[in-house]
Amino acid sequence: MLVRTPDPALGAAELIARYDAHAPRYTSYPTAAQFTPDIDAATWRDWLAAAPTDAAISLYLHVPFCKRLCWYCGCNTRAMNRVAAMESYIDLLLAEADLVLSAIGRRVRVGSIHLGGGTPNMLPPEALERLFAGLAARFDLGDCFEIAAELDPEVLTEDWVRAAGRIGLTRASLGVQDLSPQVQAAVNRPESFETIRWAAGALREQGVVSLNLDLMYGLPLQTVEHVVTTLGQVTTLKPERIALFGYAHVPWMKPHQKLIRDADLPGAQARFVQSQAAARYLTGKGWRAIGLDHFALPHDSLAAAQRAGRLRRNFQGYTTDEAPALIGLGASSISHTPQGYVQNLTQEREWRAAVGRGRLPVARGVALTAPDRFIAELIERLMCDFAVDVAAVARRHGRDMVEVADAWLRLEAFQADGLAEVAEGRVQVTPLGRPFVRAVCAAFDPGARDFHERHARVV
């Protein structure tokens, strides 16, 4: 390939102008935007029947209920306070589990369980325990080494925390985002540091050994000072992990985001400065940078996986989960088996109706081809390690390097600008290029030309 000398005078503003395009977060490849209705309940039933049996699977359960609708949210959820509706949802989660197990045709070992949302701690404590009793009656949980949940500290109660201890919760993610009252008002999420501190302490007392705090940059009215001040408070809690996500403003996909004024949003360069200031602060305090937007203390399993080259990426972000199959239950849940990805119906009413009729509630998905698996590994290693030996991956998958010939041409600009180094079939993202790694990954994505407004911007 043509190699040009990087321009040392090229600054952040110029790089942002060149590379701040729309691109996926690459929590999967192919991405969810490429799922189609061609993958239906019959396909999913066939894939389940062929599910691997030599290793434990992972379970993901989606709880689409929240106390309030945060205006920045990109998740599938709704405001809900009716206990009866949540109780019936638990019944249907277990009914869907029965449908899945009927298709598999045998008892299944589970290695990890993740409760996502929405806000799983909206479930009444007794409903949470009933759910896990139902899972234990259906699956073999003897090898289950992790139970994780995404929680809203503002609605967390002592009773719920005690119930979480009884089900064996080991990891919890607390939604924080930003502690500035000005920013919180702009996204409809009031929350105090005292509430978060109480939640962290209560969860640790009940056996949670890995605490994650979810933060955001690029929120309306947010400044570098807000980001760093928030970090100064939450790092006193010594969370094992911190996720620092860039706010994705996609009002064409999430209409409630129209409640956020465009004029209040930081521009691309301000977002960049916020993210870099946060990374410097956290690494200076002892957290290790993990991939694009996660940080972990050196003793945490996420940092250990990074050091060992075993870091993975899925729809929850960076993970240590190496299970060969992920079974998703609940409205909008996504499942993954060696054959491909499947997503459930996203509208809760439609999901309820399908499960109530005894039908696997599949909406869409994508079957993985051999080229897909090749590209998927290239992208995952870049997202996790900022480097990939393309030639070695090609040999492992029995693919020809000519399949990614166009990628080398697209990478020329990244190398010329000092964002990547390319030599002898290997791609290394430089420290300067790490904030733009999604754009580097897109060089290998044959669907990159269709990204406009289907995904958030890189910066």
Side-chain angles (χ1 to χ4, degrees):
M1 66 182 290
L2 176 64
V3 177
R4 295 174 289 179
T5 302
D7 181 357
L10 201 62
E14 290 84 1
L15 291 173
I16 291 168
R18 292 187 186 186
Y19 297 105
D20 186 28
H22 294 272
R25 294 185 185 272
Y26 286 117
T27 50
S28 72
Y29 180 85
T31 71
Q34 294 164 279
F35 293 3
T36 74
D38 293 340
I39 303 301
D40 57 16
T43 307
W44 183 219
R45 189 174 295 106
D46 290 342
W47 290 358
L48 287 169
T53 59
D54 56 346
I57 67 163
S58 296
L59 282 180
Y60 172 79
L61 293 86
H62 189 77
V63 180
F65 310 125
C66 288
K67 177 182 177 180
R68 63 214 165 175
L69 184 61
C70 302
W71 296 343
Y72 63 81
C73 185
C75 301
N76 182 63
T77 187
R78 66 187 177 105
M80 162 64 70
N81 59 11
R82 290 187 293 113
V83 172
M86 290 185 271
E87 291 279 5
S88 63
Y89 188 84
I90 296 298
D91 294 335
L92 289 169
L93 280 176
L94 295 174
E96 184 183 359
D98 288 334
L99 294 173
V100 165
L101 289 170
S102 175
I104 294 175
R106 57 194 176 278
R107 191 165 173 81
V108 177
R109 291 185 297 129
V110 172
S112 66
I113 301 173
H114 188 105
L115 289 175
T119 304
N121 56 304
M122 283 293 293
L123 297 175
E126 57 275 12
L128 176 70
E129 294 190 78
R130 184 165 65 84
L131 170 62
F132 272 79
L135 294 175
R138 291 163 170 79
F139 297 92
D140 179 356
L141 303 186
D143 294 329
C144 190
F145 65 91
E146 179 178 88
I147 297 175
E150 302 167 12
L151 308 175
D152 181 352
E154 192 69 18
V155 296
L156 196 62
T157 66
E158 291 185 10
D159 286 346
W160 202 95
V161 173
R162 284 195 291 268
R166 289 192 290 271
I167 68 167
L169 189 72
T170 58
R171 185 164 62 83
S173 290
L174 297 177
V176 177
Q177 321 317 339
D178 188 284
L179 290 174
S180 162
Q182 181 185 26
V183 176
Q184 291 180 351
V187 296
N188 193 39
R189 190 185 173 91
E191 190 168 66
S192 70
F193 175 64
E194 289 70 25
T195 297
I196 295 160
R197 180 167 54 193
W198 173 83
L203 288 163
R204 289 195 188 282
E205 287 178 3
Q206 290 296 327
V208 168
V209 295
S210 182
L211 185 68
N212 174 76
L213 300 183
D214 285 336
L215 307 179
M216 297 186 82
Y217 66 89
L219 291 169
L221 304 180
Q222 196 176 33
T223 66
V224 170
E225 290 74 21
H226 293 138
V227 174
V228 174
T229 299
T230 295
L231 288 172
Q233 292 177 277
V234 301
T235 50
T236 63
L237 303 176
K238 298 297 181 184
E240 281 72 19
R241 303 179 187 181
I242 292 176
L244 181 72
F245 299 115
Y247 167 57
H249 193 56
V250 287
W252 57 90
M253 294 174 58
K254 298 294 180 179
H256 59 265
Q257 291 187 352
K258 294 176 183 177
L259 295 168
I260 293 175
R261 297 192 332 138
D262 289 350
D264 290 340
L265 291 170
Q269 189 163 357
R271 287 169 58 94
F272 182 83
V273 172
Q274 290 175 16
S275 68
Q276 297 309 292
R280 287 193 300 272
Y281 185 94
L282 288 169
T283 55
K285 292 292 186 179
W287 278 263
R288 291 177 58 94
I290 307 292
L292 177 64
D293 48 21
H294 284 48
F295 300 83
L297 290 175
H299 68 267
D300 187 74
S301 60
L302 205 62
Q306 181 198 50
R307 291 192 295 270
R310 300 175 69 91
L311 190 64
R312 303 298 303 271
R313 191 155 171 83
N314 65 17
F315 286 96
Q316 280 71 58
Y318 291 102
T319 180
T320 61
D321 189 357
E322 297 185 83
L326 167 69
I327 304 298
L329 305 174
S332 80
S333 287
I334 296 178
S335 301
H336 177 218
T337 71
Q339 293 86 356
Y341 292 95
V342 165
Q343 184 172 26
N344 279 352
L345 293 159
T346 57
Q347 294 298 316
E348 182 193 336
R349 180 176 297 180
E350 295 178 359
W351 173 85
R352 284 176 178 267
V355 176
R357 292 195 299 269
R359 185 172 69 84
L360 289 168
V362 174
R364 59 190 189 132
V366 63
L368 290 172
T369 65
D372 288 338
R373 294 185 179 92
F374 172 37
I375 299 299
E377 184 173 347
L378 296 179
I379 288 175
E380 184 175 43
R381 292 333 317 151
L382 281 170
M383 290 295 298
C384 292
D385 305 331
F386 294 113
V388 64
D389 187 334
V390 180
V393 175
R395 288 193 296 271
R396 187 155 54 248
H397 287 264
R399 310 308 301 175
D400 194 312
M401 288 282 281
V402 72
E403 295 179 36
V404 291
D406 289 345
W408 304 117
L409 297 175
R410 289 191 283 266
L411 287 170
E412 286 184 2
F414 293 94
Q415 183 160 350
D417 289 338
L419 305 184
E421 296 172 356
V422 183
E424 299 179 351
R426 180 177 173 82
V427 179
Q428 175 78 51
V429 180
T430 67
L432 181 65
R434 289 185 176 190
F436 305 95
V437 65
R438 289 162 55 202
V440 177
C441 291
F444 289 97
D445 190 338
R449 61 183 178 274
D450 300 324
F451 286 167
H452 183 62
E453 291 197 345
R454 299 185 72 182
H455 301 281
R457 301 191 76 89
V458 167
V459 175

